Amino acid sequence: MPLPGPRFPPPLAPGDLIAVTAPSSGVGPDSHPRLEFALQWLRDRGFRVVVGECMSGDEVRSAPAAQRAAELVDFLCDPDVAAVVPPFGGELAIDLLEVLDWDRLAAAEPTWLVGWSDLSTLLVPLTTRLGWATLHGWNLMDTPLAPPEGLAHWTDLLAATGDVVQRSPGRTRDGWGDFRVPDTTRMTLDRETDWVVLGGGDVDVSGRLIGGCLEVLSPLAGTPYADIPAFGRAHADEGLLVYVEACEQGAYDICRILHGLRMSGWFEHANAVLVGRTPAPDAPDLTQLEAVEEALGGLGVPVVSQMDIGHTQPFLPLVNGARARLVVRDGVREVTQTLA
């Protein structure tokens, strides 16, 4: 049976209803001021907001799996909800995959699911199993942050109806902001950075975007929930742009993960691989970049590392399922996505 889609939810517009639920980790008391600030930020920009019951930060998960799954599916299948966004990522969203009502989701019109980190566990299956376009790159607590020039805010990206061009600002930061400071709206990008083409040279390549966080996606390789080889076969005529990013695991672990994904066929239909900058540690004799080179250097396609994807600021939001063009040449660091 051919993969449906890709199916793009309607463009986001002022007046739309945005639902907030925590499919993974919820919000502890010390982050409640930031939560309220982020919710008001959305309201101030003309969106209506509904907050679900699965929001507790008392434990690693916001509620039991069945409750989290039911609330997420209810929001995604509600025709009045335009987008669902979690407060954070987390650790164990994997426990939802076998209890989600996939038949109900398959019968529904697509709704935007926004998130990153542990939410990759849900974003990728919605795209690969159902053909829904999903957005990787922000969550609710990030939402009040103003993107630097060249990059799009997730609400603006999802409002687009055609091509969206994003360019790297060439700057990043060490460390992360403190979300207990509720009214933070600015990224302090105090260090220069650049995208790195393994082996050098220029890149100008297109394909369908798919990817996310390595630590949470690698356990899904070989399962029905992250069948990237099948997704690649469904889009073999145009090929894929597979993007990956590491959260925290060291260089040895990331090297093993990338080798395993390569052997499982994840990159078989890739026209290029996009690798995010990472705060994860190097090993004494293997850096994170060397881990990428060792595992993916023989693919025979461009591999672009140190990109503005994932667990460092700033965020380059990417839409799973969208056609995209990646250009790296003559000082240009650019991704163009087509949302249609």
Side-chain angles (χ1 to χ4, degrees):
M1 181 176 175
L3 179 75
R7 302 165 64 197
F8 286 84
L12 197 63
D16 280 347
L17 180 63
I18 295 176
V20 177
T21 183
S24 186
S25 293
V27 182
D30 60 347
S31 295
H32 281 173
R34 179 65 175 186
L35 173 64
E36 294 303 320
F37 183 77
L39 294 171
Q40 190 58 47
W41 189 98
L42 288 172
R43 296 186 188 106
D44 289 344
R45 279 143 190 86
F47 298 107
R48 297 176 293 130
V49 180
V50 59
V51 179
E53 296 182 1
C54 299
M55 293 290 290
S56 173
D58 293 342
E59 299 181 5
V60 67
R61 288 165 284 205
S62 66
Q67 184 180 351
R68 284 180 286 126
E71 183 165 274
L72 177 62
V73 170
D74 283 347
F75 280 145
L76 289 174
C77 293
D78 185 339
D80 291 332
V81 173
V84 179
V85 59
F88 292 121
E91 299 291 344
L92 295 171
I94 192 171
D95 69 351
L96 295 189
L97 293 176
E98 294 179 302
V99 294
L100 289 172
D101 190 339
W102 288 100
D103 290 337
R104 186 179 171 199
L105 288 167
E109 291 300 312
T111 296
W112 287 113
L113 181 61
V114 179
W116 60 287
S117 194
D118 197 29
L119 265 291
S120 295
T121 309
L122 303 173
L123 299 171
V124 167
L126 282 175
T127 301
T128 58
R129 285 172 64 95
L130 303 182
W132 288 23
T134 58
L135 177 64
H136 174 278
W138 295 69
N139 57 42
L140 180 67
M141 298 304 216
D142 305 317
T143 291
L145 295 173
E149 184 177 358
L151 299 183
H153 193 276
W154 72 265
T155 56
D156 295 325
L157 180 60
L158 295 192
T161 57
D163 289 352
V164 178
V165 181
Q166 297 186 83
R167 299 179 178 90
S168 175
R171 303 194 67 80
T172 186
R173 61 175 289 171
D174 292 317
W176 202 258
D178 185 350
F179 288 124
R180 290 170 295 185
V181 180
D183 57 352
T184 301
T185 59
R186 181 174 176 268
M187 300 183 195
T188 302
L189 307 177
D190 53 8
R191 182 165 65 83
E192 291 186 358
T193 186
D194 196 11
W195 299 359
V196 176
V197 179
L198 300 192
D202 297 339
V203 175
D204 189 338
V205 64
S206 299
R208 290 271 179 193
L209 285 164
I210 191 70
C213 179
L214 283 170
E215 285 94 335
V216 301
L217 287 177
S218 58
L220 303 182
T223 76
Y225 301 105
D227 194 345
I228 304 303
F231 187 76
R233 290 191 294 273
H235 299 288
D237 290 345
E238 54 198 341
L240 304 181
L241 298 183
V242 180
Y243 66 93
V244 294
E245 56 94 8
C247 170
E248 60 188 7
Q249 291 191 0
Y252 295 153
D253 292 315
I254 295 304
C255 191
R256 281 190 289 266
I257 287 171
L258 290 173
H259 274 299
L261 294 179
R262 177 181 52 77
M263 288 186 281
S264 74
W266 262 49
F267 308 107
E268 180 180 352
H269 296 282
N271 295 337
V273 181
L274 290 57
V275 182
R277 216 170 29 243
T278 180
D282 297 331
D285 55 356
L286 186 74
T287 67
Q288 290 281 341
L289 181 57
E290 288 168 342
V292 173
E293 291 174 327
E294 178 179 316
L296 305 184
L299 287 176
V301 300
V303 177
V304 183
S305 188
Q306 307 298 308
M307 291 185 64
D308 306 288
I309 305 168
H311 286 76
T312 62
Q313 293 181 0
F315 316 110
L316 171 63
L318 297 173
V319 174
N320 288 315
R323 290 188 181 91
R325 178 187 179 194
L326 168 68
V327 177
V328 184
R329 67 178 179 218
D330 300 329
V332 176
R333 309 289 186 264
E334 182 177 281
V335 174
T336 301
Q337 300 177 74
T338 302
L339 275 65

